[in-house]
Amino acid sequence: MANYLITGGAGFIGSHLVHALVARGDQVRVLDNFETGLRKNLDPVRDRIELREVDLADAAAVQQACQGIDYIFHEGALPSVPRSVKEPRPSHEINIGGTFNVLEGARLAKVKRVVYAASSSAYGNQPGFPRVETMSPQPLSPYAVQKLTGEYYMQAYWRVYGLETVCLRYFNIFGARQVPDSPYSGVMARFTLMMMRGDRPAIFGDGEQGRDFTHVDNVVRANLLAIEAPREKAAGQVFNIACGQRHTLNETYALLATFIGFQHPPIYGPEREGDVRDSLADITAASEVLGYVPEVGFEEGLRRTVAWYREEFAGQEKGTQ
Ligand code: UD1
């Protein structure tokens, strides 16, 4: 049993980690400012965790929250590429400044290891697939720059202070509890809810852009493995966390529509600013060093996701013909 701090623990990915740790009997402290996280994500475990309403920009509160902690999962962030394009300052402050505060807190509190939610957006639009961690990053959007800066900070804290850090580059994570109705929602959550409500989703561009969509259960597994991986091989390193398969948006749309019973074609609109065209991961390093295997495949992930939204948004389903 160990003491864990999860930043962004009320959010989509963070809350899955909280549930997993509580289930195995670990002590969990959650930080969240509830800007994008939701209290209800923690309801089932509320009496078994310590919850602190803290903004990652509050250095003193973050530092205090690191006291007595063995391991940190740093999931707190202002996600979304388009949000960072529209309003770069808040995402800069949280994604870079907040990450710095977490590292400083971890260093001063002598935390054993920090696992960081990095992003596949670091690769940008350079040629060469699948993406391997040794490629030079080419971030396109403010969000990509911010998440990549966080990686550099993680690596510097390992090199300079000996704080063990592991960066996991997430590739388009989806699953239960992903917010579906914000303008900045991930595509899978957004399409699922819209189709359930009978609304036609919009595809930005021709729909032939590809993503290595990865179910959230795989990410939870990867994080737990990143804590256990040997320091000599994992500390200061970056790992792709994905399925190693590319699916186009058109293909994803069609499959979701089949599962939901939605029979309308998408509306095609202009390409999104700062959008990456294609994304596909090489997951060899995560497999060799962490022992990571994507246990939930794309289709099974979609099935589970649709089932969850059906239950969560019961009564809102209509127009599925
Ligand atoms: C990016 C990162 C991902 C990161 C995420 C955080 C890449 C390859 N991926 O995801 O690692 O975790 O940001 O937010 O950079 N789309 C539509 N219609 C919609 C919404 C989206 O067509 O209504 C399209 C987008 O234009 C894009 C694709 O769907 O081509 C995926 O978009 P989204 O779910 O927002 O994620 P990314 O920006 O790819």
Side-chain angles (χ1 to χ4, degrees):
M1 200 177 79
N3 290 304
Y4 285 85
L5 175 69
I6 296 142
T7 70
F12 162 46
I13 298 173
S15 66
H16 281 274
L17 279 164
V18 172
H19 287 255
L21 291 169
V22 167
R24 47 176 227 191
D26 287 299
Q27 295 291 321
V28 175
R29 182 179 292 161
V30 168
L31 288 199
D32 211 295
N33 67 351
F34 297 104
E35 187 170 333
T36 57
L38 300 172
R39 287 178 199 280
K40 70 173 182 195
N41 288 343
L42 299 172
D43 279 351
V45 293
R46 185 62 196 85
D47 55 349
R48 283 177 284 165
I49 59 169
E50 184 196 335
L51 176 59
R52 295 195 187 183
E53 191 165 344
V54 163
D55 193 302
L56 287 174
D58 183 345
V62 171
Q63 190 177 316
Q64 227 180 19
C66 292
Q67 295 300 322
I69 292 296
D70 299 307
Y71 302 108
I72 299 178
F73 290 120
H74 178 36
E75 309 303 306
L78 261 185
S80 165
V81 169
R83 186 201 312 261
S84 79
V85 170
K86 187 146 187 276
E87 281 186 294
R89 187 176 296 281
S91 61
H92 172 91
E93 278 162 8
I94 290 304
N95 297 344
I96 298 182
T99 297
F100 174 74
N101 288 339
V102 170
L103 278 170
E104 265 298 90
R107 175 176 79 88
L108 295 169
K110 300 196 172 11
V111 165
K112 291 180 187 146
R113 189 171 286 189
V114 180
V115 182
Y116 169 65
S119 168
S120 66
S121 57
Y123 293 107
N125 268 338
Q126 62 189 298
F129 290 97
R131 302 312 199 189
V132 188
E133 294 87 343
T134 47
M135 288 174 163
S136 299
Q138 286 188 17
L140 290 176
S141 61
Y143 177 79
V145 170
Q146 294 153 13
K147 278 283 162 180
L148 182 62
T149 305
E151 283 187 23
Y152 291 151
Y153 256 128
M154 291 285 150
Q155 294 176 314
Y157 268 63
W158 161 241
R159 286 193 300 262
V160 176
Y161 304 111
L163 171 64
E164 292 180 26
T165 58
V166 182
C167 299
L168 303 181
R169 278 188 187 157
Y170 297 165
F171 280 67
N172 290 75
I173 314 307
F174 71 98
R177 297 203 282 273
Q178 189 168 28
V179 172
D181 51 5
S182 135
Y184 302 123
S185 289
V187 71
M188 204 72 98
R190 171 181 272 278
F191 280 12
T192 304
L193 187 64
M194 287 187 80
M195 286 182 188
M196 275 175 45
R197 288 178 169 166
D199 300 327
R200 277 172 75 191
I203 287 186
F204 304 141
D206 62 6
E208 286 305 300
Q209 65 264 52
R211 292 291 184 271
D212 197 335
F213 288 110
T214 305
H215 188 262
V216 67
D217 286 358
N218 297 324
V219 176
V220 170
R221 186 82 193 115
N223 275 275
L224 299 179
L225 290 166
I227 293 291
E228 288 157 19
R231 161 194 168 108
E232 317 75 67
K233 288 189 171 169
Q237 299 302 311
V238 176
F239 300 98
N240 290 338
I241 300 302
C243 280
Q245 287 176 4
R246 171 186 174 274
H247 298 275
T248 66
L249 227 50
N250 286 328
E251 183 192 338
T252 304
Y253 184 103
L255 205 57
L256 265 180
T258 307
F259 287 163
I260 293 170
F262 182 79
Q263 289 174 4
H264 305 286
I267 300 163
Y268 286 93
E271 261 177 47
R272 207 172 66 180
E273 249 176 308
D275 219 15
V276 162
R277 177 69 186 176
D278 269 316
S279 183
L280 169 67
D282 182 320
I283 52 174
T284 312
S287 144
E288 286 178 2
V289 177
L290 309 179
Y292 165 78
V293 180
E295 278 158 17
V296 182
F298 177 66
E299 278 204 34
E300 173 57 19
L302 278 191
R303 255 183 248 281
R304 289 187 192 184
T305 306
V306 168
W308 184 84
Y309 282 98
R310 281 211 156 117
E311 200 165 309
E312 187 68 13
F313 294 88
Q316 298 194 28
E317 203 163 353
K318 60 169 184 175
T320 46
Q321 60 272 312

